[in-house]
Amino acid sequence: MQRPQNSSVSTLLLCATACLLLGGCATDLAPVRTFAEQTQKMSLHFEPMLAGGVHSCMDKAMRKRLILAERFDAQASEQAARADCAAIAQASASVASLNDVLLRYAHTLAALADAKLPAYQEEFGGLGDALGGLAQPGAGAPLLDADKLAKVVKLSEHLSRLATQRVQQSALRELLDEQEAVDIVSNALKEYAQHSYRAGLQDELRDLVQLRGAVDNAAPREPLAANYIRTRLHLEGRQLQEREKIVAAYVAAVDALQASVAALRANLDRLQAPELERQLAQFARDVAKLQRQAAFYAPARW
């Protein structure tokens, strides 16, 4: 009987070893890829919320000056609006680093599922300082206390270490065991969406009521201009209401993400479990709803 060639045996051994290192062959890791892909989509649809919070503040300030000021100077009003909204812009930049941790978590899980770790070059040295300065909207207390902040920094360092060392064995389980840190990060993002971004939208909606009254008072003198502004305010009010629904969709997606991490962690040795499949399907539906609602980040159209 003919003996198999050494190269063929070596190839078979390499394939078997790769499957063992990852706790199963590549096809078994499809649920991990599904989770990672949905998490990446969710994170990408959070990004416009950060810019939207600043835009909401700027729009509110500019709109009020345009309608209520006796003499309107566009350039001076814009400069004043930027100054009024500087604190929101600074906070948004820090929150963006939190969203980046979640996005990197998803990228690393996806790469592990494909046996190919990414090569991150950025340093995390300033992450703790950036997040440590974040305060709860309207409360002044830190958004992340010292214990939570330490867990978030530990997660970010873990991701960096995995990418640097190219460690694959047991890496999926290690990342899923960071469930508490993932919950802390995603809860902080949810807090921002509910109590900062949505609060700005609600402030804008309340201002529209006041501005409509001012437009009505000016209507007898400038009926055409008043009708134009009434139409503009109506369209912007509808768009703001739709943007509020983005927050609800994002919160639902975060809740599904957290449940999915728990389900993956509990079923990592049996990734075809029906309960895991159902949870990931729910996560995908919630992210798809967020994706549809995210179209309303765009300015109101005529």
Side-chain angles (χ1 to χ4, degrees):
M1 184 174 64
Q2 186 177 4
R3 297 176 64 184
Q5 297 181 357
N6 288 340
S7 61
S8 299
V9 174
S10 298
T11 301
L12 288 172
L13 287 173
L14 284 172
C15 290
T17 303
C19 286
L20 287 172
L21 284 173
L22 289 172
C25 293
T27 53
D28 294 335
L29 297 176
V32 178
R33 289 191 207 93
T34 297
F35 170 78
E37 289 167 2
Q38 297 304 321
T39 302
Q40 290 176 52
K41 291 178 185 177
M42 190 191 83
S43 295
L44 291 174
H45 288 305
F46 178 82
E47 289 177 359
M49 198 180 293
L50 297 169
V54 180
H55 293 159
S56 179
C57 178
M58 291 280 294
D59 289 347
K60 174 188 167 187
M62 289 291 289
R63 193 187 294 119
K64 184 176 288 188
R65 288 182 172 90
L66 172 64
I67 295 175
L68 299 181
E70 291 184 6
R71 294 182 179 179
F72 177 72
D73 183 320
Q75 183 176 357
S77 295
E78 183 183 16
Q79 290 174 349
R82 288 193 187 281
D84 291 344
C85 302
I88 293 176
Q90 184 176 359
S92 295
S94 296
V95 174
S97 63
L98 266 181
N99 190 52
D100 185 60
V101 171
L102 188 61
L103 187 58
R104 182 164 300 189
Y105 182 79
H107 283 159
T108 305
L109 279 175
L112 281 169
D114 289 330
K116 183 181 179 182
L117 282 167
Y120 295 131
Q121 300 298 325
E122 304 96 310
E123 294 293 333
F124 281 97
L127 182 67
D129 291 338
L131 299 180
L134 279 175
Q136 295 178 18
L143 182 62
L144 300 175
D145 61 27
D147 181 60
K148 290 180 179 179
L149 181 60
K151 288 183 170 67
V152 172
V153 173
K154 177 175 173 287
L155 171 60
S156 66
E157 290 172 346
H158 191 169
L159 295 172
S160 182
R161 186 173 66 254
L162 282 176
T164 302
Q165 296 177 352
R166 295 294 194 274
V167 177
Q168 290 184 338
Q169 189 173 13
S170 303
L172 282 173
R173 186 169 296 283
E174 286 179 23
L175 282 185
L176 292 172
D177 284 345
E178 296 280 8
Q179 180 183 350
E180 183 182 4
V182 173
D183 286 352
I184 290 170
V185 170
S186 52
N187 280 333
L189 295 173
K190 188 164 67 171
E191 179 86 5
Y192 174 88
Q194 291 177 299
H195 300 294
S196 184
Y197 179 69
R198 183 161 60 189
L201 299 178
Q202 291 171 341
D203 281 347
E204 279 197 85
L205 284 168
R206 282 190 292 269
D207 270 8
L208 292 185
V209 176
Q210 177 190 5
L211 297 178
R212 287 189 190 104
V215 172
D216 290 342
N217 292 335
R221 299 188 303 275
E222 298 286 348
L224 180 59
N227 287 338
Y228 174 85
I229 295 175
R230 283 187 184 121
T231 303
R232 192 75 237 170
L233 294 178
H234 169 71
L235 293 173
E236 290 179 2
R238 284 200 322 192
Q239 196 81 348
L240 289 169
Q241 290 169 348
E242 291 297 333
R243 287 177 192 157
E244 278 199 279
K245 296 178 184 177
I246 297 175
V247 176
Y250 180 76
V251 168
V254 168
D255 290 343
L257 173 141
Q258 293 177 352
S260 297
V261 173
L264 275 170
R265 188 181 181 191
N267 294 282
L268 188 58
D269 295 328
R270 48 192 192 97
L271 287 172
Q272 309 308 315
E275 59 269 27
L276 175 59
E277 184 178 350
R278 286 192 296 270
Q279 178 55 49
L280 292 176
Q282 181 62 54
F283 186 26
R285 286 193 294 271
D286 288 334
V287 171
K289 184 176 180 179
L290 171 62
Q291 187 169 5
R292 290 191 299 271
Q293 197 62 32
F296 292 97
Y297 279 127
R301 298 184 61 185
W302 284 83

